[in-house]
Amino acid sequence: MPSKALALVGFMGSGKSTIGALVAGMVGCPFQDLDQMIEVQEGESIREIFDRIGETGFRGLETNLLAQALTPGYVTALGGGAPLQSRNWLVVRERAFSIFLDAPFEVLWDRLGQDAASRPLLRGRTPEQIRTLYLERRPRYLEADQVVRADRAPEVVAEEVVGLWSG
């Protein structure tokens, strides 16, 4: 098992949690989802946290838990906005091997429609506004150590991720 953590980055709907759990199962290591860690710590859903303290407050919680989430030998799914702050990205670069799960916006949009109600950043935004958010975030995601096409079967994506992380 690699000594660094594996950090999966990408936009909402890219499959970070699904792929992360599959990768962890394939290599026999623990899986963590940064959003779930925040929910456990706060005792609320992400949506409730956003309603209570807003996006800025939520991003602070992400920053506070990020180093802990990137435990060596763990697979960690980061929230879509976690890598955007420079200080967070420095922590990711220092502590983890990062992989950007990349998929065309149309694929992500189709996936997001299935659970849009649970995603605070989708509320009140048009598809064009979500596409703009995607395009704003993409350059940071492309700074990851590797990029993997995430518009394929999850098992295929997970096998490629395992190969890159352990290679």
Side-chain angles (χ1 to χ4, degrees), residues 126-145:
T126 66
E128 293 75 26
Q129 291 170 319
I130 301 300
R131 181 187 299 272
T132 298
L133 184 64
Y134 164 78
L135 293 172
E136 289 170 354
R137 290 178 172 192
R138 199 163 192 282
R140 172 53 53 91
Y141 299 154
L142 286 167
E143 294 177 25
D145 295 311

Side-chain angles (χ1 to χ4, degrees), residues 78-137:
L78 301 184
L84 302 179
Q85 291 183 27
S86 295
R87 65 182 173 187
N88 288 356
W89 192 239
L90 289 172
V91 171
V92 171
R93 302 293 293 161
E94 177 184 297
R95 298 182 61 101
F97 180 77
S98 58
I99 295 181
F100 168 31
L101 297 180
D102 190 18
F105 180 77
E106 293 70 26
V107 171
L108 299 172
W109 183 250
D110 286 344
R111 292 176 182 172
L112 290 172
Q114 298 168 16
D115 65 344
S118 68
R119 297 183 184 266
L121 288 178
L122 296 181
R123 286 188 292 185
R125 292 195 172 157
T126 66
E128 293 75 26
Q129 291 170 319
I130 301 300
R131 181 187 299 272
T132 298
L133 184 64
Y134 164 78
L135 293 172
E136 289 170 354
R137 290 178 172 192

Side-chain angles (χ1 to χ4, degrees), residues 1 4 35 39 61 82 111 134 150:
M1 179 175 1
K4 276 190 162 186
D35 283 350
E39 287 178 333
L61 296 173
R111 292 176 182 172
Y134 164 78

Side-chain angles (χ1 to χ4, degrees), residues 53-72:
I53 60 175
E55 184 175 1
T56 303
F58 175 78
R59 297 295 171 211
L61 296 173
E62 272 182 334
T63 297
N64 291 341
L65 280 176
L66 183 61
Q68 177 186 337
L70 297 175
T71 304

Side-chain angles (χ1 to χ4, degrees), residues 1-73:
M1 179 175 1
S3 60
K4 276 190 162 186
L6 171 62
L8 297 176
V9 301
F11 199 68
M12 296 175 275
S14 62
K16 299 178 298 287
S17 297
T18 300
I19 301 304
L22 285 170
V23 168
M26 289 174 171
V27 300
C29 69
F31 168 69
Q32 298 184 117
D33 180 301
L34 183 56
D35 283 350
Q36 289 178 352
M37 291 174 71
I38 292 168
E39 287 178 333
V40 168
Q41 174 184 288
E42 296 299 304
E44 297 175 300
S45 71
I46 297 299
R47 184 179 180 139
E48 292 167 330
I49 295 166
F50 264 73
D51 288 345
R52 180 172 52 86
I53 60 175
E55 184 175 1
T56 303
F58 175 78
R59 297 295 171 211
L61 296 173
E62 272 182 334
T63 297
N64 291 341
L65 280 176
L66 183 61
Q68 177 186 337
L70 297 175
T71 304

